[in-house]
Amino acid sequence: MAAMSAPDSIDLARLRRSCAKCSLQQLCLPAGVSARELEQLERIVQRNRHVGRGERLFWPGAPLTGVFVAREGAFKTTVLDESGEEQVLGFHLPGEVIGLDAMGTGVHRCEAVALGEAQVCEIPFDQLTTVAAQLPSLQQQLMRVIGQGVDRDQDHLGVLVRRQANERVALFLHGLGERLRTVGLSSSRFRLPMSREDIARYLGLALETVSRGFTRLQDDGVIEVTGRQVEVLDPERLTRMAHGAEEERNARRGRA
Amino acid sequence: MAAMSAPDSIDLARLRRSCAKCSLQQLCLPAGVSARELEQLERIVQRNRHVGRGERLFWPGAPLTGVFVAREGAFKTTVLDESGEEQVLGFHLPGEVIGLDAMGTGVHRCEAVALGEAQVCEIPFDQLTTVAAQLPSLQQQLMRVIGQGVDRDQDHLGVLVRRQANERVALFLHGLGERLRTVGLSSSRFRLPMSREDIARYLGLALETVSRGFTRLQDDGVIEVTGRQVEVLDPERLTRMAHGAEEERNARRGRA
DNA sequence: CGTCGATTTGACGCTGGTCAAACCTTGTGG
DNA sequence: CCACAAGGTTTGACCAGCGTCAAATCGACG
């Protein structure tokens, strides 16, 4: 597919583990960037750094050094509100960019924590902008990635404004499944990387309410849950519930 | 209505009404951009287009043609959820950029509506990126503006996760005041550009709950409301309530 | 001055937050 | 390999905050 070009000296071993060979390539920053340009990008990427469970990539007040891409494992980004409660802003799966929250001020306002053992690639931000300024397609891709982040935030908003707790839970599971699929994992059988508490803090609900939501979905035969292991039995119904077709679950009262 | 662009010759009269002379300059895209570079930016800006009450700048599905900056008046951006309910994503005051939601896909996902008579400047997006690629400081400023938009979305999230309805209302009023101040208006005496319903759909509450929140704040002597006219009597108390110091309002129950 | 929409106020019931306790899962050490 | 401990998760009971329906009042604009 991509023609190989051999400009200067290329370390073959390194290339093998490179962005060009990365299974996430089409989801990650390099998507749509030509092979020639990709090489420039590769020079500044620090690949596959290991991150232990609970380890932080950055924290509030830390200066923006670089953007991270989850390579393996999952992350959450959180802020502490003034009463000291943790609020979960988002979850980040492989291929998703983390750290752009500092673009506005140059300083991070949230913290990013690994939910389990994970690996990330890091791209120094100043170098990224420098390189991007010279490579239109990378520039454009950078914009796209930023835009996707905004889209995700807005989806999150959409979930929070939706009042019914069970709808939020259904929407969360559905959305997670969709995202897992794009990473090449099963969307119908997976292990949640985050705790009920994390989910609750993401959905703006009490932990117990999330748990009850899961139980309810199970009782209705839509999913099967054992702790963090989830199996989606009726994907269609889950989709419908996530998209607001509530009357299907039980015709309790009509809605406009 | 749309002025013909004459890129080569520079009209002095036009310059007078230019970004360089604009009172919003320091809040808008040109902030931090040098005079020389500003001139380049000016060539592509279409300034001071009038927008009538209820008129839309763009709508879901419309291709990204340009970014808008509110010059005068206020806007709201909204999406329709699958049950046809309007959800308010944000309000936009003078100096704030509108339309970057389409960066991810090139297509707008929300619509932007003028809340009253308004004026906007428009910058064709492709030309903006072209020019920005050549002007590092503009490039950086663009990033900053985008980042600020993300920050605002996250603040919005912060409001929605906060469960107490009255806290949301207080936070909303406080935040609006702060933003009005940065535009050079009074933060203690203003007229709301949006309806209670818009506020409700922004805060994820019922319209009546918002109204009751206002009434409650008034009964407590924090503000004075008459329709859309608001006067903040006790800014400190409002700030404290917005920041979660709820026990001050009435010591009903202790909170952790 | 009248009409229409926006806002306020009231009454009522359900959803979901809170407190509490039981249960299950995972990891550790014997 | 099993026992124990420590979180994580589920379930139950209770009730208050807020959504819903309804009606009155207010304010803006013709």
Side-chain angles (χ1 to χ4, degrees), chain A residues 48-122:
Chain A
N48 288 5
R49 173 179 137 202
H50 177 265
V51 186
R53 175 196 185 87
E55 199 177 321
R56 299 188 294 177
L57 295 177
F58 51 80
W59 42 89
L64 170 61
T65 58
V67 300
F68 299 85
V69 180
R71 177 80 182 74
E72 224 185 278
F75 294 80
K76 66 174 177 182
T77 42
T78 64
V79 289
L80 264 58
D81 65 20
E82 33 311 286
S83 48
E85 300 277 319
E86 179 179 297
Q87 175 188 153
V88 176
L89 296 176
F91 297 109
H92 307 269
L93 304 181
E96 297 176 353
V97 176
I98 311 170
L100 289 170
D101 67 292
M103 260 191 337
T105 60
V107 172
H108 288 285
R109 42 165 30 211
C110 64
E111 72 172 56
V113 186
L115 292 169
E117 301 301 306
Q119 289 197 341
V120 290
C121 301
E122 181 174 1

Side-chain angles (χ1 to χ4, degrees), chain A residues 140-165:
Chain A
Q140 198 183 345
Q141 173 62 7
L142 184 57
M143 289 284 188
R144 278 230 334 258
V145 169
I146 294 169
Q148 284 163 9
V150 174
D151 289 353
R152 231 191 302 289
D153 283 356
Q154 288 193 2
D155 288 340
H156 189 186
L157 277 185
V159 177
L160 288 174
V161 175
R162 189 174 251 37
R163 346 197 131 100
Q164 303 287 0

